[in-house]
C-alpha cells in the first residue's frame, strides 16, 4: 500500500488526478470506478481542468459508479446518477453511453446482478476511486458487510444518513437504503485509490490502514489488495503519525 500525505484537500485532488492520468496514459480506454461524495471532488475538478486545457483526454474511458440511493425520483439532484453526470461525465467529457450508475428505482430484482455483469462485460475496473465513511464504510458497505459481498441493496446506517444529511434539506429526506457495489466487487478492481481529507476521517483511516482486517471496519479490506494508493491530507492522516512517510506519486509504479 502506498500512502501519500498532502498539505490540504486541493493537493489531495491533484494527486488523485495524477494517479488517474498515469493509468490513462498507457490505457486510454481504461474503466474508471467513480465514487461520489465530497472526497474526490477536488480530484474531479483537477481532471476537468486538465481535460479543458487539452492535457488529458478521457473520451475513450468508461466509468462505473460505486453506488446509488434507492427511491429518489429520476433527475433528483442528490441522486448519484445526477451527481456523476454533474461532476464526472460532463466536466470530464466522458461518453454518457459509457458511464454507468446502479439503478436506484428498486423496480428490477435483477438490477444488482446486471450491474455486476456490465462491469465484467467492460473487462473489469482498471482503477477504482474510493472515499471512506467516518464509520469505515467503502461504497455503502456498512460495518458488518461481508468481505465476499457483491452488488446488492443495503440499509444505510444511522451515522451514514446523519453524515450525508448535509447534502439534503433534512435528515428525513436522506434515503434509508442504497444499492452498492460489494466489497468483493471493489476488491476485483485492478487498482484502488482512496482519498480522504479532514479530521473527521482520521479514526476511520487509522482503523482501515493499521487496524485488524475485519468487517467491523469494511475499509480494512484494502489491506488485502495488491495495488492500493491512499492519498490523505494531514488531518485525515493524523492517526497514522510515526507510521508512514510521504511517497511521491511520480515514484510509484503504475
Ligand atoms: C460515495 C461512497 C461513499 C463515500 C463516503 C465518503 O459514492 O461510496 O463511500 O465515499 O461516504 O463520503 P464523503 O467523501 O462525502 O466524505
Amino acid at each position: 500500500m502506498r500512502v501519500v500525505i498532502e498539505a490540504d484537500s486541493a493537493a489531495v485532488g491533484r494527486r488523485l488526478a495524477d494517479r488517474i492520468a498515469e493509468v490513462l496514459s498507457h490505457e486510454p480506454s481504461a474503466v474508471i470506478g467513480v465514487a461520489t461524495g465530497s472526497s474526490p471532488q477536488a480530484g474531479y475538478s483537477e481532471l476537468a481542468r486538465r481535460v479543458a486545457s487539452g492535457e488529458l483526454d478521457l473520451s475513450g474511458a468508461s466509468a462505473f459508479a460505486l453506488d446509488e440511493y434507492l427511491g429518489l425520483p429520476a433527475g433528483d439532484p442528490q441522486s448519484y446518477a445526477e451527481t456523476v453526470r454533474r461532476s464526472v461525465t460532463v466536466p470530464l467529457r466522458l461518453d454518457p453511453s459509457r458511464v454507468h450508475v446502479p439503478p436506484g428505482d428498486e423496480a428490477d430484482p435483477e438490477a444488482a446482478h446486471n450491474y455486476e455483469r456490465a462491469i465484467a462485460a467492460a473487462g473489469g475496473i482498471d482503477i477504482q476511486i474510493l472515499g471512506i465513511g467516518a464509520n469505515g464504510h467503502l461504497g455503502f458497505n456498512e460495518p458488518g458487510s461481508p468481505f465476499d459481498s457483491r452488488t446488492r441493496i443495503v440499509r444505510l446506517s444511522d451515522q451514514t444518513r446523519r453524515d450525508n444529511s448535509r447534502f439534503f434539506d433534512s435528515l428525513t429526506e436522506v434515503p434509508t437504503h442504497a444499492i452498492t457495489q460489494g466489497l468483493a466487487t471493489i476488491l476485483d478492481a485492478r487498482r484502488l485509490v482512496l482519498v480522504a481529507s479532514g479530521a473527521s476521517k482520521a479514526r476511520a483511516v487509522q482503523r482501515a490502514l493499521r487496524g485488524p482486517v475485519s468487517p467491523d471496519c469494511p475499509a480494512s479490506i484494502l489491506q488485502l489488495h495488491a495495488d492500493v494508493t491512499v492519498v490523505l491530507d494531514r488531518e485525515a492522516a493524523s492517526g497514522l503519525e510515526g507510521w508512514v512517510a510521504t511517497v511521491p506519486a511520480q515514484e510509484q509504479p503504475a
Side-chain angles (χ1 to χ4, degrees):
M1 189 182 289
R2 294 171 289 269
V3 182
V4 181
I5 301 170
E6 292 287 357
D8 54 33
S9 59
V12 169
R14 286 193 293 276
R15 287 285 190 182
L16 172 59
D18 288 346
R19 185 73 184 114
I20 301 298
E22 189 187 350
V23 172
L24 264 291
S25 69
H26 44 87
E27 294 171 38
S29 56
V31 180
I32 306 170
V34 293
T36 51
S38 321
S39 305
Q41 294 306 319
Y44 296 148
S45 300
E46 175 61 17
L47 286 168
R49 189 196 64 71
R50 295 182 194 186
V51 168
S53 71
E55 280 169 67
L56 185 67
D57 178 9
L58 284 134
S59 59
S62 309
F64 283 86
L66 271 176
D67 40 23
E68 174 61 290
Y69 290 119
L70 284 198
L72 292 180
D76 188 296
Q78 294 315 328
S79 70
Y80 286 171
E82 268 305 294
T83 310
V84 167
R85 193 188 60 75
R86 255 187 340 256
S87 59
V88 177
T89 315
V90 172
L92 274 50
R93 301 184 192 166
L94 292 176
D95 175 349
S97 70
R98 288 209 292 261
V99 179
H100 311 269
V101 179
D105 55 20
E106 291 173 271
D108 180 4
E110 283 297 302
H113 291 303
N114 289 341
Y115 201 65
E116 290 276 335
R117 276 196 282 268
I119 293 172
I125 290 174
D126 292 302
I127 181 157
Q128 174 66 57
I129 300 167
L130 296 166
I132 184 171
N135 64 359
H137 73 208
L138 281 188
F140 278 134
N141 294 282
E142 302 285 27
S145 296
F147 280 179
D148 62 358
S149 52
R150 314 284 327 180
T151 302
R152 68 205 186 288
I153 289 173
V154 293
R155 187 183 183 83
L156 298 176
S157 71
D158 291 345
Q159 178 169 4
T160 296
R161 293 188 64 241
R162 271 196 311 275
D163 288 348
N164 287 8
S165 65
R166 69 190 193 281
F167 297 113
F168 293 82
D169 288 335
S170 70
L171 179 59
T172 51
E173 288 180 25
V174 184
T176 54
H177 290 76
I179 179 169
T180 183
Q181 287 187 30
L183 291 170
T185 319
I186 292 170
L187 225 66
D188 279 348
R190 284 182 267 282
R191 306 170 186 90
L192 303 176
V193 53
L194 178 114
V195 282
S197 301
S200 65
K201 298 295 173 69
R203 174 86 182 121
V205 166
Q206 182 196 38
R207 291 180 70 208
L209 272 57
R210 301 187 67 174
V213 177
S214 155
D216 291 345
C217 177
S220 65
I221 200 172
L222 296 179
Q223 296 179 38
L224 303 180
H225 195 283
D227 189 336
V228 185
T229 305
V230 179
V231 189
L232 307 169
D233 73 356
R234 288 203 187 105
E235 289 180 336
S238 57
L240 302 176
E241 220 145 281
W243 182 65
V244 288
T246 300
V247 181
Q250 57 273 24
E251 288 174 20
Q252 294 164 9

